[in-house]
Structure formats: structure tokens, C-alpha cells
Amino acid sequence: MDAIAVTPVRTVSDETYYQCWYPVCLVSEVGAATLVGVDMLGTRVIVYRDASGKAVVQSAWCPHLGADLSQGARVEGQVRCPYHHWRFDSTGACSHIPTGDRIPAAARIFTYPSAEAWGLIWLFNGTTAAFDVPRVPGATEAELACEAHLRGIRTSPGEIALSNGVDFQHLRTLHGLQTTEPEEIAVRDHEIEFRVGRAGYTQHGVISGVSTFAQHLTSGGSNLFMLFCGAPIDRGRRRMFFMVGVPRMGGAQAERQALDNLRGFVERLLAEDEPVLESMRFRRGTLVASDRHLARYFRYVSEFPRAAPPGV
Ligand code: FES
Ligand SMILES: [Fe+2]
């Protein structure tokens, strides 16, 4: 977990974030006995697995005096606070107070809707998930050999980085890709979807919530799947992940080679984007007709529901 450990951020009560799925950490970082703390959404969460192996994501702050529960321990499948050893179960209820005091009804920690997908553990910023965890167009997870990676901490606003997904001009100008752009993009309540095709090349992209862009490319007979996502740590920083996937090929070596090639391609795209994104002073400036999909995306973002994390 060292790679994503950052200085704890204390609650800023007036902070709101999009009511969507956000990546918390890599699946590989949470084993059966792990208790992990992650700073995100201006607060802190804990992540661990319950007895059935399901990933549980809860507020990290103990309702007694506010100790950081990630500093505690897993005891009999529960989380024990490091300070006075109150214990909490996977529903967030306090199950034990060592002094024998009656357990107050308010002695609960908030349990986020959570999911495991594409090599990542996700939480939904809300009391119930308003829609499904981000999808990758054109494939189910079972159909792919895929692997997720932490890209790092970035300071550019997530909304701007995500706009890359429908910024078709920059694919040609910044990345030098020979692409076309769709006539239309389908804008729904919680996602944006588009398809582009020409001889020998197709692109099928989906923006989910305001955290994730995933796409399926076909090029020269290859099927390439990728997902880019990030979660705010606080107002100034976000933690960025990406996933690469290829169809299962029945041979570990062939899959390894295809994944390595795709990862190289994705890391090149990210390395080209980041110097621009990290240095720009964003404004909705002078848009032209070719920016219509971008303009629609910015309206989608501005209308997307926001809320403070329930667990702060
Ligand atoms: S602060 Fe957690 S038990 Fe007291
Ligand atoms: Fe890009």
C-alpha cells in the first residue's frame, strides 16, 4: 500500500464530489487479512475483506473520538479501533466496547457501496449506488486478461483529464493518431457513449460518471481494451489508475506480450497528456464548432449530481 499512502487529509465539511463510482485502490493491495487506509474525497476510508471475501469500504473515523481505524487491527473478522478497542462489523455497527458500556445506536461507521471490477476496488459516493460500476465497452471482465496499475498522484482537475475521452482533436494533434470523430455522442444520465469507425479501425468509448473513461479499440485485427480513472484525494490532488485488457488467448505468454504492448501504448498516451494537463490553467474558453462534443461533455459534468461523502 506504500505506493498510494499520502499525508492524511482532515475533513473539509463543505467539500462536495460527484455522486459516482471512484477507484479506491488496486484489488492486489487488499488481501484476506489486510486493513488499508486511503485518503480520498477530502476524507479517509478503510478497505478490507469480510469473511466471504467481499471488499468492504467504510469511513476511517471512529465514532467514539475520531481515531483513524486504519491504524487499528482486524480481530475476529471485525475492525478494532487502535485507541479504546471498540469494534465494528462489516455493516458498520459497533459490536463491542471493552468497558462493557451499552453500545449507543450512533456508534456506527458509514459503509460505502463498493464493488470490485477491472482489478480495482471502487466506492460509490452516496448512501446507495445510483448506477452500475463503470463498464468497459465490448467485453465482460471474464472475457479479458486485464491488469490495473496505479499511475500516480496528479493535480489537474479530474473533469479536465476525463474530457480527453471526447476531445477527438487532440488524438490527432497531441498524440498523432489517425482517427476520425463521431457525428454524435450519446449523453445519458450517468454516462456518455460513442462509436467511431473506418476501414481497419474502430473506437467505442464510454465515459462513466465523472471519474472513468473506458474504450475498446480494434486496429489491424487486434482488440484492445483500456480504462482510465481517478479519484480526488482532496480539492487539489487526485489519484490516477489505468487498466489494460486483451481478449483471453489461451496462452499466458501471448497474453503477457499483448498486455505489455498495450501498456506501453497507454503509458505513451498518458505521458503525452500529462505535461499539458498538469500545466494548463483551465477555462471554458473560446470554443469552435469542432468542439461541440467537448461542450456537451462540459454541460454533462456541470449537471452531474454532487454531494459530500456520507462518511465524513
Ligand atoms: S477513539 Fe475509537 S474507541 Fe475510542
Ligand atoms: Fe490524451
Side-chain angles (χ1 to χ4, degrees), residues 141-163:
E141 192 167 346
E143 293 168 333
L144 298 184
C146 57
E147 59 184 27
H149 299 277
L150 174 70
R151 177 66 181 172
I153 309 292
R154 298 292 181 268
T155 57
S156 55
E159 301 90 328
I160 309 311
L162 191 61
S163 74

PDB file of all heavy atoms in Angstrom, residues 141-163:
ATOM      1  N   GLU A 141     -15.520  -8.619 -17.895  1.00  0.00           N
ATOM      2  CA  GLU A 141     -14.218  -8.837 -17.265  1.00  0.00           C
ATOM      3  C   GLU A 141     -13.753 -10.283 -17.468  1.00  0.00           C
ATOM      4  O   GLU A 141     -12.559 -10.538 -17.667  1.00  0.00           O
ATOM      5  CB  GLU A 141     -14.305  -8.494 -15.775  1.00  0.00           C
ATOM      6  CG  GLU A 141     -12.952  -8.411 -15.118  1.00  0.00           C
ATOM      7  CD  GLU A 141     -13.011  -7.767 -13.740  1.00  0.00           C
ATOM      8  OE1 GLU A 141     -14.038  -7.149 -13.394  1.00  0.00           O
ATOM      9  OE2 GLU A 141     -12.014  -7.894 -13.015  1.00  0.00           O
ATOM     10  N   ALA A 142     -14.697 -11.231 -17.444  1.00  0.00           N
ATOM     11  CA  ALA A 142     -14.330 -12.646 -17.582  1.00  0.00           C
ATOM     12  C   ALA A 142     -13.733 -12.955 -18.950  1.00  0.00           C
ATOM     13  O   ALA A 142     -13.002 -13.935 -19.112  1.00  0.00           O
ATOM     14  CB  ALA A 142     -15.561 -13.520 -17.337  1.00  0.00           C
ATOM     15  N   GLU A 143     -14.053 -12.125 -19.926  1.00  0.00           N
ATOM     16  CA  GLU A 143     -13.559 -12.373 -21.291  1.00  0.00           C
ATOM     17  C   GLU A 143     -12.152 -11.835 -21.522  1.00  0.00           C
ATOM     18  O   GLU A 143     -11.553 -12.085 -22.562  1.00  0.00           O
ATOM     19  CB  GLU A 143     -14.510 -11.729 -22.310  1.00  0.00           C
ATOM     20  CG  GLU A 143     -15.871 -12.394 -22.356  1.00  0.00           C
ATOM     21  CD  GLU A 143     -16.894 -11.585 -23.147  1.00  0.00           C
ATOM     22  OE1 GLU A 143     -16.760 -10.333 -23.227  1.00  0.00           O
ATOM     23  OE2 GLU A 143     -17.835 -12.197 -23.671  1.00  0.00           O
ATOM     24  N   LEU A 144     -11.658 -11.070 -20.566  1.00  0.00           N
ATOM     25  CA  LEU A 144     -10.375 -10.389 -20.775  1.00  0.00           C
ATOM     26  C   LEU A 144      -9.291 -10.884 -19.830  1.00  0.00           C
ATOM     27  O   LEU A 144      -9.551 -11.262 -18.695  1.00  0.00           O
ATOM     28  CB  LEU A 144     -10.537  -8.883 -20.547  1.00  0.00           C
ATOM     29  CG  LEU A 144     -11.502  -8.127 -21.458  1.00  0.00           C
ATOM     30  CD1 LEU A 144     -11.447  -6.640 -21.130  1.00  0.00           C
ATOM     31  CD2 LEU A 144     -11.177  -8.369 -22.922  1.00  0.00           C
ATOM     32  N   ALA A 145      -8.065 -10.834 -20.333  1.00  0.00           N
ATOM     33  CA  ALA A 145      -6.897 -10.830 -19.453  1.00  0.00           C
ATOM     34  C   ALA A 145      -6.625  -9.346 -19.214  1.00  0.00           C
ATOM     35  O   ALA A 145      -6.402  -8.596 -20.173  1.00  0.00           O
ATOM     36  CB  ALA A 145      -5.711 -11.478 -20.139  1.00  0.00           C
ATOM     37  N   CYS A 146      -6.735  -8.910 -17.971  1.00  0.00           N
ATOM     38  CA  CYS A 146      -6.549  -7.479 -17.760  1.00  0.00           C
ATOM     39  C   CYS A 146      -5.758  -7.246 -16.484  1.00  0.00           C
ATOM     40  O   CYS A 146      -5.681  -8.110 -15.602  1.00  0.00           O
ATOM     41  CB  CYS A 146      -7.875  -6.728 -17.737  1.00  0.00           C
ATOM     42  SG  CYS A 146      -9.076  -7.262 -16.531  1.00  0.00           S
ATOM     43  N   GLU A 147      -5.147  -6.075 -16.418  1.00  0.00           N
ATOM     44  CA  GLU A 147      -4.419  -5.725 -15.204  1.00  0.00           C
ATOM     45  C   GLU A 147      -4.487  -4.217 -15.001  1.00  0.00           C
ATOM     46  O   GLU A 147      -4.444  -3.434 -15.955  1.00  0.00           O
ATOM     47  CB  GLU A 147      -2.971  -6.207 -15.264  1.00  0.00           C
ATOM     48  CG  GLU A 147      -2.181  -5.668 -16.406  1.00  0.00           C
ATOM     49  CD  GLU A 147      -0.775  -6.268 -16.477  1.00  0.00           C
ATOM     50  OE1 GLU A 147      -0.567  -7.406 -16.012  1.00  0.00           O
ATOM     51  OE2 GLU A 147       0.105  -5.561 -17.005  1.00  0.00           O
ATOM     52  N   ALA A 148      -4.632  -3.848 -13.727  1.00  0.00           N
ATOM     53  CA  ALA A 148      -4.739  -2.431 -13.375  1.00  0.00           C
ATOM     54  C   ALA A 148      -3.427  -1.964 -12.763  1.00  0.00           C
ATOM     55  O   ALA A 148      -2.687  -2.751 -12.157  1.00  0.00           O
ATOM     56  CB  ALA A 148      -5.883  -2.240 -12.384  1.00  0.00           C
ATOM     57  N   HIS A 149      -3.159  -0.669 -12.932  1.00  0.00           N
ATOM     58  CA  HIS A 149      -1.938  -0.076 -12.394  1.00  0.00           C
ATOM     59  C   HIS A 149      -2.257   1.280 -11.785  1.00  0.00           C
ATOM     60  O   HIS A 149      -3.147   1.989 -12.260  1.00  0.00           O
ATOM     61  CB  HIS A 149      -0.902   0.131 -13.503  1.00  0.00           C
ATOM     62  CG  HIS A 149      -0.490  -1.137 -14.164  1.00  0.00           C
ATOM     63  ND1 HIS A 149       0.475  -1.964 -13.635  1.00  0.00           N
ATOM     64  CD2 HIS A 149      -0.932  -1.741 -15.305  1.00  0.00           C
ATOM     65  CE1 HIS A 149       0.633  -3.011 -14.428  1.00  0.00           C
ATOM     66  NE2 HIS A 149      -0.215  -2.904 -15.433  1.00  0.00           N
ATOM     67  N   LEU A 150      -1.490   1.628 -10.759  1.00  0.00           N
ATOM     68  CA  LEU A 150      -1.531   2.986 -10.241  1.00  0.00           C
ATOM     69  C   LEU A 150      -0.663   3.850 -11.140  1.00  0.00           C
ATOM     70  O   LEU A 150       0.498   3.505 -11.394  1.00  0.00           O
ATOM     71  CB  LEU A 150      -0.976   3.020  -8.810  1.00  0.00           C
ATOM     72  CG  LEU A 150      -0.816   4.401  -8.191  1.00  0.00           C
ATOM     73  CD1 LEU A 150      -2.176   5.027  -7.898  1.00  0.00           C
ATOM     74  CD2 LEU A 150       0.002   4.313  -6.891  1.00  0.00           C
ATOM     75  N   ARG A 151      -1.215   4.972 -11.627  1.00  0.00           N
ATOM     76  CA  ARG A 151      -0.409   5.882 -12.444  1.00  0.00           C
ATOM     77  C   ARG A 151       0.325   6.891 -11.554  1.00  0.00           C
ATOM     78  O   ARG A 151       1.450   7.239 -11.804  1.00  0.00           O
ATOM     79  CB  ARG A 151      -1.321   6.605 -13.452  1.00  0.00           C
ATOM     80  CG  ARG A 151      -0.611   7.643 -14.309  1.00  0.00           C
ATOM     81  CD  ARG A 151       0.398   7.013 -15.239  1.00  0.00           C
ATOM     82  NE  ARG A 151       1.071   8.035 -16.034  1.00  0.00           N
ATOM     83  CZ  ARG A 151       2.106   7.777 -16.827  1.00  0.00           C
ATOM     84  NH1 ARG A 151       2.574   6.556 -16.930  1.00  0.00           N
ATOM     85  NH2 ARG A 151       2.669   8.745 -17.510  1.00  0.00           N
ATOM     86  N   GLY A 152      -0.369   7.358 -10.514  1.00  0.00           N
ATOM     87  CA  GLY A 152       0.283   8.288  -9.592  1.00  0.00           C
ATOM     88  C   GLY A 152      -0.661   9.384  -9.149  1.00  0.00           C
ATOM     89  O   GLY A 152      -1.856   9.357  -9.439  1.00  0.00           O
ATOM     90  N   ILE A 153      -0.108  10.348  -8.433  1.00  0.00           N
ATOM     91  CA  ILE A 153      -0.891  11.486  -7.941  1.00  0.00           C
ATOM     92  C   ILE A 153      -0.741  12.631  -8.939  1.00  0.00           C
ATOM     93  O   ILE A 153       0.373  12.969  -9.334  1.00  0.00           O
ATOM     94  CB  ILE A 153      -0.370  11.959  -6.559  1.00  0.00           C
ATOM     95  CG1 ILE A 153      -0.247  10.795  -5.579  1.00  0.00           C
ATOM     96  CG2 ILE A 153      -1.265  13.069  -6.006  1.00  0.00           C
ATOM     97  CD1 ILE A 153      -1.512  10.171  -5.128  1.00  0.00           C
ATOM     98  N   ARG A 154      -1.856  13.216  -9.319  1.00  0.00           N
ATOM     99  CA  ARG A 154      -1.844  14.325 -10.276  1.00  0.00           C
ATOM    100  C   ARG A 154      -2.633  15.500  -9.702  1.00  0.00           C
ATOM    101  O   ARG A 154      -3.488  15.301  -8.834  1.00  0.00           O
ATOM    102  CB  ARG A 154      -2.458  13.899 -11.613  1.00  0.00           C
ATOM    103  CG  ARG A 154      -1.698  12.757 -12.303  1.00  0.00           C
ATOM    104  CD  ARG A 154      -0.319  13.198 -12.789  1.00  0.00           C
ATOM    105  NE  ARG A 154       0.402  12.127 -13.455  1.00  0.00           N
ATOM    106  CZ  ARG A 154       1.255  11.285 -12.837  1.00  0.00           C
ATOM    107  NH1 ARG A 154       1.464  11.399 -11.524  1.00  0.00           N
ATOM    108  NH2 ARG A 154       1.873  10.357 -13.511  1.00  0.00           N
ATOM    109  N   THR A 155      -2.350  16.690 -10.200  1.00  0.00           N
ATOM    110  CA  THR A 155      -3.004  17.883  -9.643  1.00  0.00           C
ATOM    111  C   THR A 155      -4.020  18.503 -10.589  1.00  0.00           C
ATOM    112  O   THR A 155      -4.778  19.372 -10.187  1.00  0.00           O
ATOM    113  CB  THR A 155      -1.956  18.961  -9.281  1.00  0.00           C
ATOM    114  OG1 THR A 155      -1.211  19.273 -10.463  1.00  0.00           O
ATOM    115  CG2 THR A 155      -1.010  18.458  -8.201  1.00  0.00           C
ATOM    116  N   SER A 156      -4.044  18.082 -11.850  1.00  0.00           N
ATOM    117  CA  SER A 156      -5.026  18.668 -12.766  1.00  0.00           C
ATOM    118  C   SER A 156      -6.417  18.170 -12.381  1.00  0.00           C
ATOM    119  O   SER A 156      -6.571  17.039 -11.928  1.00  0.00           O
ATOM    120  CB  SER A 156      -4.705  18.272 -14.205  1.00  0.00           C
ATOM    121  OG  SER A 156      -4.612  16.867 -14.325  1.00  0.00           O
ATOM    122  N   PRO A 157      -7.451  19.020 -12.575  1.00  0.00           N
ATOM    123  CA  PRO A 157      -8.801  18.587 -12.201  1.00  0.00           C
ATOM    124  C   PRO A 157      -9.214  17.342 -12.986  1.00  0.00           C
ATOM    125  O   PRO A 157      -8.965  17.237 -14.189  1.00  0.00           O
ATOM    126  CB  PRO A 157      -9.670  19.786 -12.599  1.00  0.00           C
ATOM    127  CG  PRO A 157      -8.735  20.941 -12.642  1.00  0.00           C
ATOM    128  CD  PRO A 157      -7.408  20.394 -13.076  1.00  0.00           C
ATOM    129  N   GLY A 158      -9.852  16.395 -12.298  1.00  0.00           N
ATOM    130  CA  GLY A 158     -10.253  15.147 -12.936  1.00  0.00           C
ATOM    131  C   GLY A 158     -11.199  15.359 -14.101  1.00  0.00           C
ATOM    132  O   GLY A 158     -11.155  14.626 -15.095  1.00  0.00           O
ATOM    133  N   GLU A 159     -12.069  16.373 -13.985  1.00  0.00           N
ATOM    134  CA  GLU A 159     -13.032  16.632 -15.062  1.00  0.00           C
ATOM    135  C   GLU A 159     -12.309  16.975 -16.363  1.00  0.00           C
ATOM    136  O   GLU A 159     -12.775  16.653 -17.456  1.00  0.00           O
ATOM    137  CB  GLU A 159     -13.941  17.817 -14.726  1.00  0.00           C
ATOM    138  CG  GLU A 159     -14.747  17.665 -13.457  1.00  0.00           C
ATOM    139  CD  GLU A 159     -13.994  18.205 -12.237  1.00  0.00           C
ATOM    140  OE1 GLU A 159     -12.745  18.125 -12.212  1.00  0.00           O
ATOM    141  OE2 GLU A 159     -14.663  18.688 -11.316  1.00  0.00           O
ATOM    142  N   ILE A 160     -11.180  17.649 -16.223  1.00  0.00           N
ATOM    143  CA  ILE A 160     -10.453  18.093 -17.417  1.00  0.00           C
ATOM    144  C   ILE A 160      -9.707  16.908 -18.027  1.00  0.00           C
ATOM    145  O   ILE A 160      -9.728  16.699 -19.242  1.00  0.00           O
ATOM    146  CB  ILE A 160      -9.460  19.226 -17.068  1.00  0.00           C
ATOM    147  CG1 ILE A 160     -10.176  20.326 -16.276  1.00  0.00           C
ATOM    148  CG2 ILE A 160      -8.814  19.781 -18.325  1.00  0.00           C
ATOM    149  CD1 ILE A 160     -11.460  20.795 -16.883  1.00  0.00           C
ATOM    150  N   ALA A 161      -9.056  16.125 -17.177  1.00  0.00           N
ATOM    151  CA  ALA A 161      -8.378  14.941 -17.696  1.00  0.00           C
ATOM    152  C   ALA A 161      -9.381  14.013 -18.388  1.00  0.00           C
ATOM    153  O   ALA A 161      -9.105  13.456 -19.455  1.00  0.00           O
ATOM    154  CB  ALA A 161      -7.669  14.205 -16.558  1.00  0.00           C
ATOM    155  N   LEU A 162     -10.573  13.889 -17.807  1.00  0.00           N
ATOM    156  CA  LEU A 162     -11.585  12.995 -18.374  1.00  0.00           C
ATOM    157  C   LEU A 162     -12.103  13.510 -19.715  1.00  0.00           C
ATOM    158  O   LEU A 162     -12.542  12.726 -20.557  1.00  0.00           O
ATOM    159  CB  LEU A 162     -12.736  12.856 -17.367  1.00  0.00           C
ATOM    160  CG  LEU A 162     -13.780  11.789 -17.627  1.00  0.00           C
ATOM    161  CD1 LEU A 162     -13.146  10.399 -17.644  1.00  0.00           C
ATOM    162  CD2 LEU A 162     -14.878  11.856 -16.563  1.00  0.00           C
ATOM    163  N   SER A 163     -12.036  14.819 -19.920  1.00  0.00           N
ATOM    164  CA  SER A 163     -12.533  15.383 -21.182  1.00  0.00           C
ATOM    165  C   SER A 163     -11.725  14.866 -22.369  1.00  0.00           C
ATOM    166  O   SER A 163     -12.179  14.906 -23.510  1.00  0.00           O
ATOM    167  CB  SER A 163     -12.509  16.914 -21.149  1.00  0.00           C
ATOM    168  OG  SER A 163     -11.185  17.416 -21.278  1.00  0.00           O
TER     169      SER A 163
END
